[in-house]
Amino acid sequence: MPDEIQHRLSTEGADPLLLAGVNDANLTELQRATGVRATLRGDTLTLGGSMDQVERATPVVQGMLDLARMGETVTPEDVARLVAAGPSAEPVGPADTKIILPGLRRIIAAKTPGQREYLQAIGTNDVVVGVGPAGTGKTYLAVAKAVEALARKRVRRIVLARPAVEAGESLGFLPGDLQAKVDPYLRPLYDALEDMMPHDRVQKALESRTIEIAPLAYMRGRTLADAFIILDEAQNATGAQMKMFLTRLGVNSKVVVTGDKTQIDLPRREDSGLVQIERILPGVDGIAFCYLDETDVVRHRLVREIIKAYAEDQHG
């Protein structure tokens, strides 16, 4: 083709396997989505195709390089998200959006501009409210920041809480004692922790109560100093519970509240403490609200499409 051009990008500092993916799956997705031919040789990635194709693919490759250079595994879903974001997408950010955890061989990093703003907000505010759908990394990134703060001795303990309202299921009908009843429903928090710390270290921290995972009701009457406190699934906290939780904040503590307003399981939506603090607390110095949406979903590509389809159905 007479109008075919080639553009070479240096991949220095990026692990070729993280960049290209297993069996070059990321390059295959890049080619499928933009029409370019992509060839990785040594420290050079060559893009071939029409001017339009190469111009479309170049910022996508830059985004892939940013992630790979931070030690993040790049997936075909990441490539598709970078293509969808288009050339106007801001690069994923610098040091304040990277979480380096001791004992882990990888760095946890913001993968979208929304996630970057969320991590920056956690770094600079005492109370952060992260609102958005499943798969946007709200809880995962908050737990990572908590583990980092504990490892760097910025706090002495981590407290992870969830309100005991679970998608129409009553805890009373689950078998076993209270701990056995609570465990399955707090499992997502254990899963996030065990992704960031070796299993035996998690168990030791739980035994010594350096890390505490508990139903929200257990927070009543306590003041939490030198702690990183996360309230997950906050859309299911009542207004009274939310006020009780936020007023547990002690000296040198940080609170992150995460929730999804499309998943309220309370009998009346207006009873949700998350919905109420959106009205009451904006403008209070030291409290930040971060909104994530389907463009920040970092799970399987279909999760993003499912969220989008449900949102369109609600508004239709």
Side-chain angles (χ1 to χ4, degrees):
M1 285 194 305
D3 61 346
E4 169 138 334
I5 64 162
Q6 286 201 333
H7 182 46
R8 290 179 179 81
L9 294 114
S10 169
T11 63
E12 203 171 339
D15 181 318
L17 182 59
L18 293 184
L19 181 66
V22 179
N23 297 327
D24 290 343
N26 299 337
L27 300 185
T28 303
E29 176 61 23
L30 178 69
Q31 291 174 160
R32 186 199 66 74
T34 64
V36 293
R37 279 191 330 282
T39 318
L40 183 58
R41 295 271 183 279
D43 281 348
T44 304
L45 180 63
T46 305
L47 302 176
S50 69
M51 178 73 83
D52 282 353
Q53 287 170 335
V54 170
E55 281 183 351
R56 188 167 182 221
T58 299
V60 176
V61 173
Q62 291 292 1
M64 293 164 65
L65 283 167
D66 286 346
L67 291 170
R69 282 176 177 140
M70 289 190 284
E72 273 287 303
T73 301
V74 185
T75 66
E77 273 78 33
D78 292 328
V79 177
R81 182 175 42 72
L82 288 162
V83 170
S88 60
E90 300 169 59
V92 172
D96 60 352
T97 59
K98 283 193 274 184
I99 303 166
I100 302 166
L101 300 176
L104 266 196
R105 284 171 305 170
R106 64 189 182 88
I107 295 166
I108 294 172
K111 286 191 167 189
T112 69
Q115 287 189 346
R116 187 181 68 231
E117 283 173 26
Y118 181 50
L119 286 179
Q120 285 172 332
I122 293 172
T124 54
N125 293 274
D126 288 337
V127 177
V128 174
V129 183
V131 182
T136 50
K138 306 180 301 293
T139 304
Y140 190 82
L141 291 173
V143 172
K145 287 296 275 184
V147 171
E148 179 190 44
L150 185 66
R152 295 190 178 196
K153 297 189 164 44
R154 291 181 192 146
V155 297
R156 284 199 318 227
R157 56 200 303 231
I158 295 171
V159 179
L160 308 173
R162 281 185 128 190
V165 177
E166 193 68 356
E169 298 157 16
S170 166
L171 287 178
F173 294 105
L174 292 169
D177 62 13
L178 182 65
Q179 191 58 38
K181 286 180 179 182
V182 158
D183 271 359
Y185 128 92
L186 295 170
R187 175 53 50 193
L189 296 171
Y190 286 100
D191 289 346
L193 267 181
E194 295 204 334
D195 210 26
M196 294 165 203
M197 292 170 71
H199 177 77
D200 58 327
R201 289 226 343 254
V202 173
Q203 290 310 313
K204 271 188 200 150
L206 289 168
E207 283 163 20
S208 66
R209 297 182 78 76
T210 305
I211 298 177
E212 184 180 351
I213 305 178
L216 176 57
Y218 285 28
M219 299 296 109
R220 192 172 300 283
R222 301 171 62 187
T223 300
L224 297 165
D226 292 311
F228 196 118
I229 313 148
I230 298 170
L231 175 60
D232 190 34
E233 298 288 344
Q235 73 276 4
N236 289 329
T238 64
Q241 286 177 323
M242 181 66 79
K243 183 180 178 186
M244 176 274 290
F245 172 77
L246 290 174
T247 52
R248 299 307 91 202
L249 187 62
V251 177
N252 189 41
S253 285
K254 194 177 279 283
V255 165
V256 179
V257 174
T258 71
D260 176 357
K261 289 187 294 179
T262 68
Q263 301 283 332
I264 295 172
D265 296 320
L266 296 169
R268 298 190 321 155
R269 179 184 167 80
E270 58 271 26
D271 290 340
S272 169
L274 182 63
V275 171
Q276 290 176 14
I277 60 169
E278 270 194 305
R279 189 180 71 247
I280 297 165
L281 295 181
V284 176
D285 194 34
I287 300 179
F289 283 78
C290 292
Y291 290 89
L292 298 147
D293 60 27
E294 74 268 7
T295 62
D296 298 300
V297 170
V298 292
R299 287 187 196 164
H300 194 285
R301 175 187 60 80
L302 282 174
V303 176
R304 187 167 58 244
E305 297 301 326
I306 290 164
I307 290 163
K308 204 168 157 187
Y310 269 91
E312 282 168 3
D313 182 64
Q314 280 183 338
H315 294 130

